[in-house]
Amino acid sequence: MTTPHFSAHLLDQTDAKAVDARTGARLKHVIESQQFTVPLLMELFDRSRGMERVVARGGTLDYQNRIMATLFYAPSTRTRFSFEAAMLRLGGRVLATEQASAFSSEIKSEQVEDSIRIMSGICDVIVIRHHGADGARRAAQVSAVPVINAGDGNGGQHPTQALLDLYTIYRERPINGLSVAIIGELDKGRTARSLAYLLAKFERIKIFFVSPPELQMKPDILEYLEEHDVRFELESDLERVIGEVDVVYQTRIHPERVPDENRRQLHRYAIDSALVQRMKPDALILHPLPRTAELDKSVDDDPRALYFRQARNGLYVRMALLTMLLEGN
């Protein structure tokens, strides 16, 4: 696979398209983390590094004839703005609806499939966040243009968040051999689920799933990890693992999902400046944001806290992903 490069033009059009070197399959839609192989991830990350340079010089006009539609049936701030900024930095244009459930024909009972059939005739790529766990997949099945899953349902996936999470780690150190603590509300945590799928593609990974027992990771993820020989442990005490992991991936817990008698124990899954002192000196702290009480602001100034850089990396990764999809369509 030819490594993409960036010169006076954003992409040399003689470069290879987004094709998996192992299978020859072209990236057509982005629906779930499982569809990415390590070669595709490395191509995406190479392009993302290039996008950092593109943004530094103010963007490009290479995609000025392309239109992206963002169709968000569920609330979003970072993901929607990140995708829209990515397309604008590429020189493209954006058609957007922020609350599609109220401001689209769904309010008139139009099915997502019909909406996508119409939209795919007037734009070049569709970014969708749907309240159903299969919304993006349903969209991709009928779309004439690439569909990107921007987060679907509780307990679904958020693959582009996981891609930028992994890229943030990759920019700091090799991924093979890492130990990672994924903390929070894991049974319905789409970012945690998507990241677990991606980590499983690398060697000598160990994952600690740290959560209240009633919110632990679902069996489908655990079975996938077992099938791919990925070591993992289910843990309910963050303090037991905080000192031995290379990456801490913190997510929220909604208190209302925990029995009343256990809510006073939620501080056990939170990170503050005192707990951070017990971490490895070179450990990384990530969070998909937004945060509440699970990540204290006192951690922000710690050099290991990468979550704001992580959010910024979302721009570069989504720019790179858009180019990979638009090249072949």
Side-chain angles (χ1 to χ4, degrees), residues 18-20 25-37 40-41 44 69 83 116-117 119-121 123-128 134-150 152 157-160 163 198 320-329:
V19 177
D20 188 308
R26 178 170 294 170
L27 189 64
K28 184 176 181 181
H29 304 288
V30 176
I31 305 302
E32 59 186 12
S33 291
Q34 299 96 301
Q35 71 188 87
F36 284 86
T37 61
L40 275 178
L41 288 170
L44 176 66
F83 266 114
I116 295 299
R117 285 187 174 99
M119 294 184 67
S120 67
C123 65
D124 300 292
V125 59
I126 297 171
V127 180
I128 182 171
D134 63 345
R137 187 182 306 278
R138 289 166 54 195
Q141 288 173 345
V142 300
S143 179
V145 301
V147 169
I148 303 175
N149 180 1
D152 55 6
Q157 283 206 43
H158 195 343
T160 68
L163 291 170
L198 288 184
L321 196 60
L322 286 168
T323 67
M324 291 174 72
L325 290 166
L326 291 170
E327 279 183 0
N329 293 273

Side-chain angles (χ1 to χ4, degrees), residues 47-58:
R47 288 176 181 243
S48 299
R49 290 290 295 270
M51 294 305 168
E52 295 185 34
R53 299 190 290 273
V54 170
V55 171
R57 68 172 187 249

Side-chain angles (χ1 to χ4, degrees), residues 183-288:
I183 309 159
E185 187 176 309
L186 305 183
D187 61 336
K188 295 186 177 181
R190 56 194 177 196
T191 65
R193 291 170 56 81
S194 293
L195 181 58
Y197 277 126
L198 288 184
L199 288 171
K201 300 181 180 300
F202 293 86
E203 299 177 0
R204 306 184 314 281
I205 295 291
K206 182 169 183 179
I207 304 175
F208 294 90
F209 294 112
V210 186
S211 175
E214 60 268 32
L215 304 180
Q216 259 295 357
M217 187 60 77
K218 288 183 178 179
D220 61 333
I221 300 289
L222 305 182
E223 291 168 4
Y224 183 90
L225 296 178
E226 289 177 342
E227 291 169 4
H228 291 79
D229 297 320
V230 178
R231 294 178 300 153
F232 66 86
E233 291 185 20
L234 306 183
E235 182 59 69
S236 59
D237 188 351
L238 177 56
E239 292 193 4
R240 289 182 57 184
V241 303
I242 194 68
E244 63 177 283
V245 295
D246 303 303
V247 179
V248 173
Y249 188 81
Q250 178 71 288
T251 68
R252 289 178 294 169
I253 294 178
H254 294 87
E256 64 273 14
R257 294 202 60 219
V258 179
D260 292 344
E261 62 272 19
N262 295 338
R263 289 182 187 175
R264 289 179 296 177
Q265 301 299 318
L266 290 181
H267 68 276
R268 296 172 55 192
Y269 306 97
I271 296 177
D272 58 19
S273 57
L275 190 64
V276 164
Q277 299 309 310
R278 299 179 53 189
M279 293 173 55
K280 289 183 177 181
D282 60 347
L284 311 177
I285 307 170
L286 279 69
H287 193 303

